[in-house]
Amino acid sequence: MKLLQAGPSPFVRKVLVTLHETGQIDQVEQVQVAASPVAPDPALIAANPVGKIPALVRPDGPTLYDSRVICRFLDARAEGGLYPESRVWDTLVLEATADGIMDAAVLIVYEERFRAREMVSMDWIEGQWGKAARALDALETRWMSHLAGRMDMGHIAVACALGYLDFRHDARKWRIGRPALAAWFEAFAERDSMKATDPTS
């Protein structure tokens, strides 16, 4: 299998952490592609018509894309138990919440990097950050009991989202007012899978 990836994408990191946690990292070739929203790599478009990463090219089936689809496939393939039936809906909602943070954080980067400076909308940027901030507040107030339990895909997704905020939006100081979430992340970030995929290393 080949994983098409680009730069420090938190969605790619989520897949890589999943590969590490399920013991499959050595079974996937990592292939760097260009994932610009305005000029995506032809190789990426051939695998995923939407032109977004990550995309998992399989020798025995169609390419999989969207990190949630890929992670669900990899977990099923390894029987990793990252989507436990006993709490699968909570796990999926938590993963979606984390992905929402990633989406908003990436869109802020795109707005600042790919739009002409005179066209950058600070209102739009703050609107995106508002989505992330509300999701962070929800994690702090509603989801800490879940995060304190056995690791599932929700944990991985949240950790990758928070790691991306540190990497790209450190000035936003997401830890302020969220001490429980900050303490949880500090501990989770010590996992070997997180260290091996740290974009700053």
Side-chain angles (χ1 to χ4, degrees):
M1 296 185 292
K2 295 182 179 181
L3 181 67
L4 305 188
Q5 59 188 70
S9 162
F11 298 103
V12 169
R13 189 182 188 189
K14 188 172 72 162
V15 172
L16 293 175
V17 171
T18 300
L19 285 167
H20 278 282
E21 293 287 351
T22 58
Q24 300 178 85
I25 190 66
D26 294 332
Q27 300 173 35
V28 175
E29 177 186 354
Q30 298 178 47
V31 179
Q32 293 290 330
V33 295
S36 164
V38 295
D41 195 313
L44 177 58
I45 294 175
N48 176 4
V50 180
K52 297 175 71 173
I53 43 123
L56 184 67
V57 181
R58 300 181 295 162
D60 56 353
T63 296
L64 301 179
Y65 42 88
D66 188 285
S67 65
R68 274 177 274 191
V69 175
I70 296 172
C71 289
R72 192 75 183 261
F73 166 78
L74 292 172
D75 180 61
R77 183 175 185 267
E79 298 182 352
L82 294 175
Y83 292 92
E85 282 300 318
S86 62
R87 60 180 192 278
V88 68
W89 299 115
D90 286 349
T91 300
L92 289 170
V93 171
L94 186 55
E95 183 183 10
T97 301
D99 282 5
I101 295 171
M102 296 183 207
D103 276 328
V106 168
L107 287 173
I108 291 172
V109 172
Y110 282 176
E111 178 74 5
E112 295 173 334
R113 182 173 297 173
F114 294 104
R115 193 179 291 275
R117 181 172 298 180
E118 66 274 11
M119 296 179 65
V120 170
S121 170
M122 293 309 299
D123 287 342
W124 194 88
I125 287 174
E126 290 307 314
Q128 295 303 318
W129 180 252
K131 296 176 186 178
R134 291 190 297 273
L136 290 166
D137 289 341
L139 294 176
E140 176 77 15
T141 59
R142 304 177 197 170
W143 288 101
M144 293 314 303
S145 60
H146 186 109
L147 291 172
R150 180 181 173 185
M151 186 187 70
D152 59 29
M153 185 51 60
H155 295 68
I156 293 173
V158 168
C160 292
L162 298 179
Y164 189 72
L165 293 184
D166 279 348
F167 182 66
R168 290 297 194 201
H169 302 290
D170 184 55
R172 296 280 184 171
K173 306 298 181 187
W174 67 262
R175 291 171 176 79
I176 294 176
R178 305 178 185 103
L181 185 61
W184 174 85
F185 179 61
E186 182 178 1
F188 196 89
E190 291 301 311
R191 296 184 71 88
D192 289 343
S193 61
M194 291 293 290
K195 290 181 177 180
T197 59
D198 185 348
T200 66
S201 62

